[in-house]
Amino acid sequence: MTEAFKFMINEHHSHLSGLSIPVFSLRTKDSSGIGQFSDLKCLADFAHRTKMRVIQLLPINDTTTFMDWRDSYPYRAISVFALHPIYFNLHEFLNDLTTQERGALKKEEQRLNALKQIDYERVLALKWKYITLIYHAKKETIQAQSDYQEFIKKNENWLNAYACFCVLRDQNQSADFMQWSEHQIYSDLVYKTLLKNPMQKEQIELHFFVQYVLHVQLTDAVAYCHQLGIAIKGDIAIGIAHDSADAWTNPSLFHLDRQTGAPPDLFAINGQNWGFPTYNWTKMAENGYQWWKQRMVAMSQYFDAYRLDHILGFFRIWEIPKGSVRGLLGQFSKALALDAKEIEQRYGIPFRQWGIERFTQPFIKDWVLDQIFGRDYRDTIIQNYLTYVGHGNYVLKPEYETQKKVEAAHLDEWLTDGLFQLIENVIFLVDHENGHLYHPRINLQSTISYQEFGADYKAQLDRLYVDYFYGRNYDFWKNQAYEKLPIIKNSTAMLACGEDLGMVPENVPDVMYHLEILRLIIERMPNDDHFVNPLQYVPYLSVLTTSSHDTSNLRAWWEENRENTQRYYNDVMGWYGQAPNVATGEIIREIITRHLNTDAMLVILPLQDWLGMDEHLRASNPQEEQINVPTHPFHYWRYRLHIELEDLLQEEEYCDFLAELIGQSNRDQSLILD
């Protein structure tokens, strides 16, 4: 294990710069169609050459659920401990392949490396084909090594279950362990039973072998980074896959009948549904959050710092019913819900008098259908999808009563969207744990149901809405965070950073400050009424960046909204005249320079934005450099650098320019090995 870097948190030390990029996006001359752990060495050479001190990655855990391109999503881990086999460097074992095998590998690599983007399915198939060959050639030698045996012993608490999960997933051609007739719940007996079958035992040992080699390759790459004074910042995803080894092993720690996501924002007006089960925090607390502690300790083998994905989830999580596709029917969990008496007496709403169903069930009348579908389609909708229940009201037929059921019907897009709107046309949501408590629906003022209320009742609903979302729960959520976050943070010496974007309660920054967890700040994504986040007020305990994997890069953002660009050009940059239609290298340099000259402890920018300063080195199409589109639940994560890292290192003039730019900002500082 390599020694970790220690980040000194004080205002007279540790003003550092760095770059962010997913491992899968790296491109080197040894690539097999995708980046791999060993490529971090070449990336560290570039960082060191340009006086950067931190490399930030996306999650690197195994995500093999569907066994197709959907598994390219790095935030849906099937194990928070296992590394992804796709990052296995085959070239370290070329001598263990036959001449014919090496030739075939080279030809396939040439085809995959010629692609602009990653072909996830072909790459993964290639990796497993040659991993299997390497395993059979090397297993006896490696299995006899004391380091290998120590690794297996040290990690048996998760490795045994993970290997069994992979074997049974492949055998059943499904990761849904509830469909595994004999093995729906993991126990040591499952592991012992599979070992008795020679073929299954061989497969288990294959997964042991792969995890060991990945561990060695990543540890070696991290050690190289440390030798150059480069720290590694990892990413700790907020969720796990529903069909995962973690849920299979510890189902009581998760609410498997619920989903997590995020409430609507400017980038996703219908909210986000990530599909992860939510955490059963009450159960986790019973043993002092051991699962989280073990997870953090495991990742501290590789990371010096980490980005805690969606830190708001430790205050409260956006919990969505199992039958939902979109995120609008979510509710905060945990939260102080309202009972009927409070709704009636404090806010003057005739909740029970009018019938609770009026507020909690989809509000469907003829005029509602006309507004969503148009009068010409009303009769068709009623006949095929609704049941009349009297007094001008309809309910959805059982086969269309949830969004998942509508989605499964494979209807036309306009019809699916309309039925989704009907299902979401409610004012209150029943609490997921107590059927006598209620939460106001997010953006309830935008529902058609809300339109039917008179001005007085609308005003009362508005008052309830503001109280609930902007004050009622703030102290409660703060206490929830103070219960969990110190335990998780103090389980390792890694520098803790939080992703606190989105609908942020006003006390979140204060909690993060007192716990010394760095905030994430993106200039163009203010948390208040400012046009942008004023960089002169960026706090020291923060990670400042220009873009994230969920946003466009600077060059693409510049072209998204002409009015905003012009305002930014004149009012923020202070440049006169008409803004250019395209962000020149000079514009990107000015933006990055302002970021570097702030008080933020870490300024970590996407490599795409660093390259954007050079009009000869940067990619021709900035839109192709966006890593993820968060509004797409199954986005294909396949972005890859357009230049090999070895060639980037040869760009002496550009590297000198970067080193000078960073040096002038006083961010050329060293880190301390702990």
Side-chain angles (χ1 to χ4, degrees):
M1 183 186 301
T2 62
E3 289 185 284
F5 278 116
K6 186 173 181 59
F7 289 81
M8 302 299 294
I9 297 182
N10 61 70
E11 296 193 9
H12 306 289
H13 194 76
S14 292
H15 284 78
L16 306 168
S17 64
L19 62 87
S20 62
I21 189 166
V23 173
F24 59 75
S25 297
L26 299 176
R27 186 187 290 267
T28 68
K29 297 188 183 302
D30 280 341
S31 292
S32 301
I34 197 169
Q36 47 207 12
F37 291 144
S38 54
D39 294 341
L40 291 173
K41 295 181 180 181
C42 200
L43 185 63
D45 288 335
F46 172 74
H48 177 69
R49 174 71 175 79
T50 56
K51 297 187 177 180
M52 297 186 200
R53 291 293 174 259
V54 185
I55 292 173
Q56 178 175 313
L57 309 174
L58 290 188
I60 54 176
N61 299 101
D62 191 359
T63 59
T64 311
T65 303
F66 303 104
M67 293 162 281
D68 59 29
W69 65 266
R70 290 174 292 177
D71 295 336
S72 65
Y73 179 34
Y75 287 90
R76 191 191 298 110
I78 65 164
S79 170
V80 298
F81 302 98
L83 302 174
H84 204 308
I86 207 164
Y87 300 129
F88 191 111
N89 182 3
L90 303 172
H91 283 225
E92 290 189 9
F93 299 93
L94 286 181
N95 291 337
D96 297 294
L97 301 175
T98 66
T99 302
Q100 184 178 4
E101 288 166 349
R102 288 197 296 271
L105 173 62
K106 183 177 180 180
K107 288 182 180 179
E108 182 62 11
E109 285 179 336
Q110 288 174 339
R111 287 191 286 267
L112 291 171
N113 290 326
L115 302 174
K116 270 189 173 183
Q117 297 180 307
I118 298 163
D119 187 327
Y120 184 90
E121 294 172 3
R122 282 175 60 192
V123 167
L124 189 61
L126 175 77
K127 290 288 180 102
W128 272 115
K129 175 182 176 180
Y130 286 94
I131 283 173
T132 304
L133 292 172
I134 292 165
Y135 166 71
H136 287 296
K138 296 287 292 183
K139 64 177 182 179
E140 292 183 3
T141 302
I142 287 183
Q143 287 172 350
Q145 296 175 0
S146 59
D147 285 351
Y148 173 85
Q149 295 166 8
E150 182 181 344
F151 174 83
I152 302 303
K153 180 65 176 176
K154 178 182 177 181
N155 296 285
E156 63 182 356
N157 64 310
W158 66 265
L159 185 58
N160 293 357
Y162 163 77
C164 291
F165 180 89
C166 293
V167 171
L168 292 171
R169 174 201 61 203
D170 296 345
Q171 178 180 304
N172 290 279
Q173 297 186 316
S174 171
D176 183 359
F177 50 84
M178 294 307 296
Q179 304 304 315
W180 302 346
S181 57
E182 295 182 59
H183 306 297
Q184 294 184 0
I185 298 177
Y186 177 76
S187 68
D188 288 340
L189 181 60
V190 174
Y191 175 65
K192 293 174 182 177
T193 299
L194 295 186
L195 285 181
K196 293 177 181 178
N197 183 306
M199 291 183 62
Q200 292 174 329
K201 181 177 184 292
E202 183 80 356
Q203 288 300 305
I204 286 173
E205 292 180 350
L206 169 62
H207 290 290
F208 284 180
F209 172 85
V210 171
Q211 287 302 309
Y212 170 73
V213 172
L214 289 168
H215 168 75
V216 170
Q217 291 181 343
L218 179 54
T219 302
D220 179 58
V222 170
Y224 183 85
C225 293
H226 285 177
Q227 289 172 12
L228 296 180
I230 308 299
I232 302 296
K233 181 185 175 193
D235 198 330
I236 308 297
I238 184 62
I240 61 165
H242 181 279
D243 303 328
S244 64
D246 294 292
W248 184 48
T249 308
N250 297 294
S252 65
L253 298 182
F254 310 95
H255 294 300
L256 297 175
D257 58 342
R258 305 169 200 172
Q259 307 174 90
T260 189
D265 56 29
L266 292 175
F267 300 96
I269 60 173
N270 293 315
Q272 298 177 48
N273 183 351
W274 302 328
F276 311 140
T278 57
Y279 294 118
N280 185 343
W281 290 114
T282 302
K283 188 67 177 178
M284 287 185 165
E286 291 179 2
N287 66 355
Y289 304 97
Q290 282 300 315
W291 182 83
W292 271 100
K293 290 178 182 178
Q294 292 166 4
R295 178 182 185 182
M296 301 305 291
V297 169
M299 291 299 101
S300 70
Q301 298 175 94
Y302 317 116
F303 303 148
D304 306 289
Y306 61 90
R307 169 190 180 272
L308 196 56
D309 177 41
H310 195 64
I311 196 172
L312 300 181
F314 296 89
F315 291 75
R316 79 292 187 273
I317 199 72
W318 192 244
E319 193 170 71
I320 303 165
K322 189 176 182 180
S324 286
V325 173
R326 307 200 296 203
L328 289 173
L329 292 179
Q331 59 186 243
F332 285 126
S333 179
K334 300 177 177 181
L336 300 174
L338 302 94
D339 61 20
K341 184 177 180 180
E342 184 178 7
I343 293 171
E344 294 164 351
Q345 294 186 359
R346 184 174 181 182
Y347 298 101
I349 298 167
F351 192 62
R352 287 174 289 193
Q353 182 181 346
W354 288 4
I356 293 175
E357 292 78 10
R358 164 63 185 88
F359 297 89
T360 61
Q361 296 299 315
F363 179 67
I364 307 174
K365 289 182 177 290
D366 288 339
W367 67 272
V368 174
L369 299 174
D370 293 349
Q371 192 163 331
I372 293 178
F373 299 98
R375 176 64 186 89
D376 292 343
Y377 291 99
R378 182 209 292 174
D379 293 340
T380 299
I381 300 300
I382 292 172
Q383 180 179 354
N384 292 293
Y385 306 105
L386 304 176
T387 299
Y388 183 68
V389 292
H391 305 288
N393 297 305
Y394 300 90
V395 296
L396 288 145
K397 291 183 177 180
E399 56 266 39
Y400 301 106
E401 64 188 0
T402 70
Q403 292 180 344
K404 287 281 183 69
K405 289 182 177 181
V406 172
E407 183 181 55
H410 301 293
L411 306 172
D412 290 342
E413 184 176 350
W414 68 273
L415 184 53
T416 296
D417 185 68
L419 292 174
F420 280 8
Q421 289 184 57
L422 277 184
I423 293 168
E424 294 162 347
N425 193 29
V426 299
I427 300 296
F428 286 99
L429 304 166
V430 179
D431 184 79
H432 291 157
E433 295 189 0
N434 186 333
H436 299 290
L437 296 177
Y438 307 91
H439 305 259
R441 205 215 83 169
I442 189 78
N443 293 349
L444 65 85
Q445 296 90 342
S446 67
T447 65
I448 300 174
S449 178
Y450 176 80
Q451 296 176 17
E452 196 193 47
F453 292 97
D456 290 344
Y457 287 130
K458 284 181 178 178
Q460 298 291 60
L461 284 170
D462 292 347
R463 184 165 67 90
L464 181 153
Y465 186 90
V466 171
D467 287 350
Y468 176 87
F469 283 106
Y470 302 100
R472 175 188 181 92
N473 286 286
Y474 282 5
D475 286 342
F476 177 74
W477 289 337
K478 180 178 71 174
N479 292 334
Q480 294 292 309
Y482 272 127
E483 180 182 332
K484 307 178 190 84
L485 285 174
I487 294 173
I488 294 169
K489 177 180 181 291
N490 295 333
S491 61
T492 73
M494 292 186 290
L495 176 70
C497 310
E499 183 270 298
D500 56 330
L501 304 177
M503 190 175 178
V504 183
E506 62 183 17
N507 55 15
V508 169
D510 183 65
V511 172
M512 294 177 68
Y513 171 78
H514 283 97
L515 294 178
E516 293 189 333
I517 299 175
L518 275 61
R519 301 183 59 200
L520 174 62
I521 295 179
I522 301 177
E523 184 186 29
R524 63 176 122 152
M525 296 179 66
N527 289 326
D528 51 29
D529 295 331
H530 283 91
F531 172 55
V532 296
N533 279 310
L535 295 186
Q536 65 269 30
Y537 301 124
V538 169
Y540 172 70
L541 290 180
S542 64
V543 180
L544 179 63
T545 188
T546 47
S547 315
S548 80
H549 61 272
D550 283 332
T551 73
S552 53
N553 62 22
L554 280 176
R555 294 165 57 212
W557 167 73
W558 190 267
E559 300 173 18
E560 287 173 359
N561 185 308
R562 182 65 189 166
E563 182 180 346
N564 285 345
T565 299
Q566 186 64 54
R567 182 180 175 186
Y568 183 87
Y569 186 77
N570 298 140
D571 297 348
V572 180
M573 294 178 64
W575 290 13
Y576 297 101
Q578 185 173 354
N581 292 326
V582 175
T584 63
E586 184 182 17
I587 287 172
I588 302 301
R589 284 196 296 274
E590 171 64 18
I591 294 173
I592 288 178
T593 299
R594 289 191 302 105
H595 281 68
L596 289 172
N597 290 289
T598 62
D599 195 39
M601 179 180 176
L602 301 179
V603 174
I604 301 178
L605 313 183
L607 186 52
Q608 301 96 302
D609 284 347
W610 286 113
L611 293 173
M613 292 189 288
D614 191 304
E615 296 187 23
H616 301 290
L617 280 179
R618 65 192 195 179
S620 57
N621 184 354
Q623 282 74 28
E624 293 179 353
E625 293 186 299
Q626 182 162 342
I627 296 169
N628 177 46
V629 180
T631 54
H632 295 176
F634 284 105
H635 178 75
Y636 196 165
W637 296 59
R638 59 190 313 195
Y639 165 68
R640 200 158 182 231
L641 276 174
H642 63 287
I643 184 172
E644 291 178 345
L645 291 175
E646 294 93 339
D647 293 337
L648 183 58
L649 268 170
Q650 296 304 311
E651 296 289 339
E652 295 289 343
E653 185 176 346
Y654 172 71
C655 290
D656 288 341
F657 160 74
L658 272 188
E660 182 179 359
L661 184 70
I662 292 170
Q664 290 174 346
S665 70
N666 295 318
R667 291 186 176 274
D668 175 23
Q669 300 182 28
S670 61
L671 286 157
I672 301 171
L673 272 174
D674 191 12

